[in-house]
Amino acid sequence: MILYVCEDNLKERLWLTTCLENELKELNMDIPIESEGRPEKVLATLAVLLSP
C-alpha cells in the first residue's frame, strides 16, 4: 500500500505529508507516502496499476 498526498500548494503538501508520517509512526505503521502536486498524475498511475 502507498498513500498519496496530492496538493498543488507545496507548503501545504509538505505539512500534510509530515503530519501523516508522524501519525503513522505513532501507530507503528510502515506505509510509504508519495507526495505529488498533480493529482491527475496520481490518478493516471492508479488507473494503470488497477487495470486488468
Side-chain angles (χ1 to χ4, degrees):
M1 176 191 315
I2 298 174
L3 297 176
Y4 284 91
V5 174
C6 297
E7 170 61 54
D8 290 336
N9 182 299
L10 178 60
K11 187 176 179 180
E12 286 291 316
R13 190 166 70 241
L14 292 175
W15 179 81
L16 288 167
T17 302
T18 302
C19 289
L20 187 53
E21 286 173 341
N22 291 338
E23 289 294 326
L24 290 173
K25 282 180 188 175
E26 286 185 23
L27 296 171
N28 293 320
M29 298 179 79
D30 187 23
I31 300 173
I33 301 172
E34 294 289 329
S35 179
E36 178 59 58
R38 298 186 330 215
E40 67 276 3
K41 183 176 177 184
V42 173
L43 291 175
T45 301
L46 293 175
V48 169
L49 293 174
L50 296 174
S51 67

